[in-house]
Amino acid sequence: MSTLASLVVLLLAVVVGLLAAGAAYVVHRHPSWSQPLGAAVSVVTVMTTVVGVILAR
């Protein structure tokens, strides 16, 4: 993998972490929506799928 591709993957990992933390915080503030851990895991799962599709090309 080239250096540019490695940097893009690292950037996507940081963005996924921020999205997961943001989803967990929002759900924590509104507990009727879902459990915070479940929301964070679902965000990470979706973003991992997207990154996997991008890297498979």
Side-chain angles (χ1 to χ4, degrees), residues 1 4-20 43-44 46-55:
M1 203 181 322
L4 180 60
S6 298
L7 288 174
V8 168
V9 169
L10 178 64
L11 178 63
L12 285 173
V14 169
V15 169
V16 167
L18 287 172
L19 286 174
V43 168
V44 169
V46 168
M47 291 305 294
T48 302
T49 304
V50 169
V51 170
V53 169
I54 291 170
L55 291 178

Side-chain angles (χ1 to χ4, degrees), residues 16-32:
V16 167
L18 287 172
L19 286 174
Y25 175 75
V26 166
V27 173
H28 176 71
R29 297 289 291 167
H30 304 281
S32 63

